């Protein structure tokens, strides 16, 4: 088995990744809620801040309160979720530029059903879904639980992370499908997710890849029995269209 890396949302290249709006934000700007928020922030993230000064300012200043609340929620997200991204669009020139070293890299082709079976299986806390594109950020309710004999105080967001499958319309050409891994990365810091090698079905070489690099990759993959069913493709510039063409290479 080999691994995907699953970085937190704020490590991806979209500056709005994992962002959302909080419903009824002003309803939370009160002394009891802010005290609880600051206590949880200090307990969970060991932030260095002046409790009394921040409490006083957050009660008076809506912008300051908003920043504290969003910062806390974003820290929860960062420590709770990891993302691996895929695309259904193999020919998008901008994606080759952004993600494949200006067409000098490669694109890996996976069998979706095999990948899903291999990664999900009986695992909990993992989901593979298509990204939906929208013109605005999703709005979420804040979950605000007070402690009782069975639990602790909690401020957070709904457990189903639908906002991680939403992106702004500017990214719709990516036709993204993503794996979201949910676990406590404070306790389990390893952000790698294993998948079965048999789900890898192809390698597409960028239009500017160096011949030596392509030959090295072909040799390495062909030398490993577990990648017995991998095909190789070459992307090329079509001068007449213009667009990216992808041609299967003969073995």
């Amino acid at each position: 088995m080999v691994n995907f890396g699953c970085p937190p949302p704020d490590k991806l290249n979209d500056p709005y990744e994992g962002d959302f709006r909080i419903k009824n934000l002003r309803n939370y700007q009160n002394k009891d809620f802010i005290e609880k928020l600051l206590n949880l922030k200090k307990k969970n993230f060991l932030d260095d801040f002046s409790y009394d000064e921040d409490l006083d300012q957050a009660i008076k200043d809506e912008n300051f309160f908003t920043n504290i609340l969003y910062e806390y929620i974003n820290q929860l997200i960062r420590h709770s979720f990891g993302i691996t991204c895929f695309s259904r669009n193999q020919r998008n020139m901008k994606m080759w530029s952004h993600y494949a070293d200006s067409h000098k890299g490669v694109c890996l082709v996976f069998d979706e059903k095999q990948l899903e079976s291999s990664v999900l299986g009986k695992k909990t806390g993992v989901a593979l879904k298509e990204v939906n594109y929208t013109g605005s950020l999703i709005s979420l309710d804040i979950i605000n639980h007070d402690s009782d004999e069975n639990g602790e105080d909690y401020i957070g967001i709904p457990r189903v992370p639908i906002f991680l499958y939403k992106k702004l319309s500017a990214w719709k050409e990516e036709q993204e499908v993503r794996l979201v891994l949910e676990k406590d990365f404070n306790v389990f810091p390893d952000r790698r997710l294993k998948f079965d090698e048999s789900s890898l079905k192809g390698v597409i070489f960028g239009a500017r890849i160096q011949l030596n690099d392509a030959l090295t990759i072909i040799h390495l993959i062909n030398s490993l029995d577990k990648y017995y069913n991998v095909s190789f493709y070459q992307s090329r510039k079509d001068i007449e269209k213009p667009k990216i063409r992808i041609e299967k290479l003969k073995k």
Side-chain angles (χ1 to χ4, degrees):
M1 301 285 281
V2 287
N3 305 296
F4 292 123
C6 297
D10 63 348
K11 296 299 182 182
L12 303 181
N13 62 351
D14 179 1
Y16 285 97
E17 190 68 67
D19 282 348
F20 52 87
R21 294 181 297 175
I22 295 175
K23 293 180 182 178
N24 304 314
L25 184 60
R26 291 184 179 180
N27 292 349
Y28 302 104
Q29 192 180 1
N30 58 73
K31 186 173 184 291
D32 289 342
F33 181 86
I34 296 171
E35 283 183 336
K36 178 176 170 180
L37 174 64
L38 293 176
N39 285 326
L40 287 170
K41 183 181 177 186
K42 187 172 184 178
K43 174 185 176 182
N44 292 329
F45 303 116
L46 302 177
D47 286 351
D48 183 18
F49 61 93
S50 173
Y51 182 96
D52 292 334
E53 290 180 10
D54 281 11
L55 174 61
D56 184 59
Q57 188 172 354
I59 292 172
K60 298 176 182 178
D61 186 335
E62 182 178 340
N63 287 334
F64 185 79
F65 165 70
T66 300
N67 287 337
I68 288 180
L69 180 54
Y70 272 105
E71 181 185 56
Y72 172 77
I73 297 297
N74 284 328
Q75 284 179 310
L76 283 180
I77 294 170
R78 187 180 307 125
H79 289 83
S80 301
F81 298 102
I83 298 174
T84 296
C85 306
F86 304 87
S87 172
R88 298 193 188 281
N89 189 349
Q90 303 173 352
R91 294 174 173 80
N92 185 274
M93 285 188 280
K94 290 182 180 179
M95 292 183 65
W96 276 98
S97 297
H98 292 162
Y99 305 123
D101 193 19
S102 298
H103 299 256
K104 297 190 291 290
V106 301
C107 173
L108 303 181
V109 182
F110 292 91
D111 181 285
E112 185 173 352
K113 290 185 178 180
Q114 282 187 250
L115 180 66
E116 186 173 17
S117 174
S118 120
V119 173
L120 273 59
K122 296 181 179 179
K123 298 181 180 70
T124 58
V126 186
L128 177 67
K129 297 181 181 178
E130 291 189 354
V131 169
N132 293 314
Y133 299 93
T134 179
S136 59
L137 296 177
I138 191 172
S139 295
L140 298 178
D141 289 308
I142 287 293
I143 295 176
N144 178 20
H145 290 313
D146 293 324
S147 63
D148 56 30
E149 65 275 9
N150 297 317
E152 298 180 343
D153 283 351
Y154 178 76
I155 293 175
I157 55 176
R159 294 300 299 172
V160 179
I162 56 173
F163 63 97
L164 293 180
Y165 299 100
K166 302 281 186 181
K167 294 193 72 169
L168 295 176
S169 299
W171 301 89
K172 64 182 179 181
E173 289 184 357
E174 292 191 350
Q175 300 177 30
E176 184 179 341
V177 179
R178 57 174 43 175
L179 277 168
V180 174
L181 173 63
E182 180 181 359
K183 65 179 183 179
D184 187 349
F185 291 108
N186 282 323
V187 179
F188 305 101
D190 185 6
R191 287 182 172 271
R192 293 175 296 177
L193 189 60
K194 293 182 179 180
F195 71 94
D196 194 327
E197 296 91 339
S198 64
S199 59
L200 179 66
K201 297 301 181 184
V203 177
I204 305 173
F205 299 113
R208 292 176 173 171
I209 194 168
Q210 295 294 313
L211 178 59
N212 285 342
D213 292 339
L215 292 175
T216 298
I217 292 170
I218 292 173
H219 173 73
L220 286 173
I221 289 179
N222 285 338
S223 67
L224 300 173
D225 292 338
K226 54 191 174 184
Y227 295 113
Y228 61 91
N229 201 26
V230 174
S231 298
F232 300 98
Y233 304 83
Q234 178 65 56
S235 63
R236 305 185 192 279
K237 295 185 295 182
D238 189 325
I239 302 302
E240 298 298 327
K241 298 298 182 183
K243 65 178 183 179
I244 295 293
R245 291 186 292 110
I246 297 176
E247 301 173 354
K248 187 173 183 178
L249 299 177
K250 295 180 180 179
K251 292 187 176 180

